[in-house]
Amino acid sequence: MDIYVEPIEEEQLKPLFTDPKQLGFGSIFTDRMFTMKYSKDKGWHDAKIEKYKPFSLDPAACVLHYSQEIFEGLKAYLSEDGKVLMFRPEQNARRMNRSAKRLCMPEIPEEYFLQGMKELVLMERRWIPDAPGTSLYIRPTLLGVEPFLGVNPSAEYLFYIILSPVGPYFKAGFNPVSIYVEDKLVRAVVGGVGDVKTGGNYAASLMAGLKAQEKGFSQVLWLDAKEQRYIEEVGAMNIFFVYQDKLVTPPLTGSILPGITRASIIEMARDLGYQVEESPITIDEAIEGITEGRIKEVFGSGTAAVISPVGSLYYKDKNYVVNNNEVGQITRTLYNGLVDIQYGRAEDKYGWVHVLGRK
Ligand code: PLP
Ligand code: COI
């Protein structure tokens, strides 16, 4: 694929963030973005790395009315010896294409997705922060942009990738978060689009998220939509329950996102000798396990959140504290194992890390 690179004058470049230790999540964007168009007659065309700027969209664009939109989230990391690394980006390309299929959007050839992203990241490498726990968050997005008001798949699409230097997703960093278990609103039903990374899922989650925040909780834990009994996932993470020597995480039944971090943790944990079960767990079982001390630790997993210890679950007006609201040993071991691979500090025996170049 030929990518046209729009020249940007040195003096047009944005000032870099001042202190990488102060970075929050997702409010600073780099100088450039990758864009590529699709139309039925031309297929994918017009690949560009251009200046980061607002788009102009027709007010009738399909995405603005019927939400034909999907996205991905992954990160570029800087190793201590100055290498630019990415973690399993081909998995994001594949998940994006599974999402595209479900929403009747054109698939993006994996090699275009990876090439566009890697060239953009390398061009923007001055933006990759180097403080511990920081990285460059990558947001590939696909929109249906044909202007029409009938409910049909769009005939035209815009794919773009933007970059944001980030610190921890949760203000607390690697410290236990408090979670609100939502028992009225639901996120997704089996057969719907809960396992697809599409904006509508997040729009539907806002009301419960806001309610949880107002009550002082970091995130919502969703239960299944049918019975409100089975644990599904957290707003931006999958969830794991740690028993003595066993990890349990809800299975991928179609209403939760198949997390790439989740899959990586399952593989790593098994290699470390833990038993891992992908099996249904009800909220009552979880509460009972926590209260009786059989569930020793709980943590969430996601690209933005990495591995986040859960310090408490609030369910039906009662708060259940996990592991004394402290980071557990297994959570810490898995966290260190994962970030050591992501930042190139440990041997990557899985072949998960792509080396793009040097900063
Ligand atoms: N579940 C939801 C709803 C998410 O938004 C995310 C984040 O992407 C995850 C789970 C974790 O997925 P991954 O590990 O691929 O980032
Ligand atoms: C991610 O972890 O990449 C996410 O997409 C979570 C969130 C910021 C929506």
Side-chain angles (χ1 to χ4, degrees):
M1 174 178 63
D2 285 331
I3 304 177
Y4 168 74
V5 179
E6 181 190 42
I8 306 183
E9 304 285 330
E10 189 84 18
E11 55 273 19
Q12 284 188 311
L13 296 178
K14 299 175 189 173
L16 215 54
F17 45 84
T18 43
D19 182 0
K21 289 194 238 34
Q22 299 299 321
L23 284 170
F25 187 86
S27 53
I28 298 173
F29 299 96
T30 71
D31 295 294
R32 298 174 177 88
M33 62 184 174
F34 175 83
T35 60
M36 182 164 71
K37 292 180 182 151
Y38 178 91
S39 63
K40 277 222 164 109
D41 49 334
K42 288 200 205 156
W44 287 109
H45 63 280
D46 220 1
K48 268 189 215 160
I49 291 179
E50 58 185 303
K51 190 168 183 230
Y52 182 104
K53 60 177 176 304
F55 293 129
S56 144
L57 279 186
D58 193 295
C62 166
V63 63
L64 301 178
H65 300 267
Y66 308 124
S67 302
Q68 202 188 13
E69 184 264 3
I70 56 174
F71 69 97
E72 270 304 323
L74 66 162
K75 285 172 170 173
Y77 308 84
L78 192 64
S79 71
E80 274 153 22
D81 59 354
K83 289 199 199 88
V84 177
L85 309 175
M86 278 172 81
F87 185 71
R88 311 189 78 180
E90 74 291 345
Q91 296 298 322
N92 294 88
R94 287 171 203 165
R95 188 170 63 189
M96 186 131 197
N97 282 337
R98 287 198 300 275
S99 299
K101 239 188 192 142
R102 177 64 179 83
L103 292 199
C104 304
M105 302 168 97
E107 291 180 36
I108 301 162
E110 202 172 307
E111 64 275 16
Y112 290 8
F113 181 100
L114 293 175
Q115 186 193 343
M117 188 161 63
K118 287 180 174 180
E119 288 192 21
L120 177 69
V121 167
L122 274 182
M123 213 164 268
E124 297 290 72
R125 58 184 175 262
R126 76 183 186 104
W127 286 94
I128 310 176
D130 60 0
T134 61
S135 55
L136 187 66
Y137 186 77
I138 305 168
R139 175 52 64 83
T141 308
L142 177 61
L143 311 177
V145 294
E146 187 191 357
F148 72 105
L149 293 181
V151 181
N152 281 306
S154 176
E156 295 161 24
Y157 293 86
L158 173 65
F159 173 62
Y160 64 92
I161 305 173
I162 54 173
L163 307 174
S164 174
V166 296
Y169 186 66
F170 295 114
K171 277 200 188 78
F174 185 62
N175 280 304
V177 291
S178 57
I179 301 272
Y180 182 85
V181 183
E182 176 58 55
D183 63 344
K184 291 187 184 64
L185 302 171
V186 297
R187 178 183 174 274
V189 293
V190 175
V193 291
D195 58 349
V196 170
K197 213 160 164 60
T198 181
N201 286 329
Y202 298 81
S205 77
L206 294 176
M207 183 184 263
L210 204 60
K211 187 170 73 179
Q213 263 173 30
E214 281 166 5
K215 292 178 192 260
F217 300 96
S218 304
Q219 288 239 325
V220 168
L221 175 63
W222 295 100
L223 302 177
D224 77 282
K226 207 168 158 193
E227 298 182 66
Q228 301 251 283
R229 279 182 69 210
Y230 294 98
I231 289 176
E232 298 237 305
E233 64 179 329
V234 186
M237 323 188 273
N238 296 111
I239 191 155
F240 287 80
F241 295 86
V242 183
Y243 292 79
Q244 190 66 36
D245 273 325
K246 180 176 76 174
L247 275 65
V248 177
T249 191
L252 302 177
T253 46
S255 52
I256 68 174
L257 196 78
I260 294 160
T261 322
R262 173 188 180 280
S264 310
I265 289 169
I266 292 175
E267 203 169 331
M268 267 175 43
R270 285 190 177 137
D271 279 353
L272 289 170
Y274 300 108
Q275 192 192 335
V276 185
E277 277 179 17
E278 295 177 72
S279 53
I281 171 164
T282 65
I283 184 66
D284 291 335
E285 279 171 320
I287 297 292
E288 206 178 285
I290 291 167
T291 318
E292 293 174 0
R294 281 180 290 109
I295 292 178
K296 311 276 182 206
E297 303 173 28
V298 181
F299 65 85
S301 71
T303 298
V306 196
I307 287 182
S308 264
V310 172
S312 60
L313 292 183
Y314 187 87
Y315 179 56
K316 292 194 191 289
D317 300 326
K318 264 186 99 171
N319 200 39
Y320 300 91
V321 175
V322 184
N323 193 39
N324 241 347
N325 204 19
E326 286 166 13
V327 182
Q329 198 46 52
I330 294 178
T331 305
R332 192 180 292 281
T333 302
L334 291 169
Y335 174 84
N336 286 337
L338 180 68
V339 297
D340 282 353
I341 294 177
Q342 289 173 332
Y343 286 87
R345 291 190 290 263
E347 187 211 343
D348 172 27
K349 65 173 180 174
Y350 303 100
W352 285 341
V353 172
H354 292 214
V355 181
L356 273 58
R358 301 194 78 83
K359 185 157 175 185

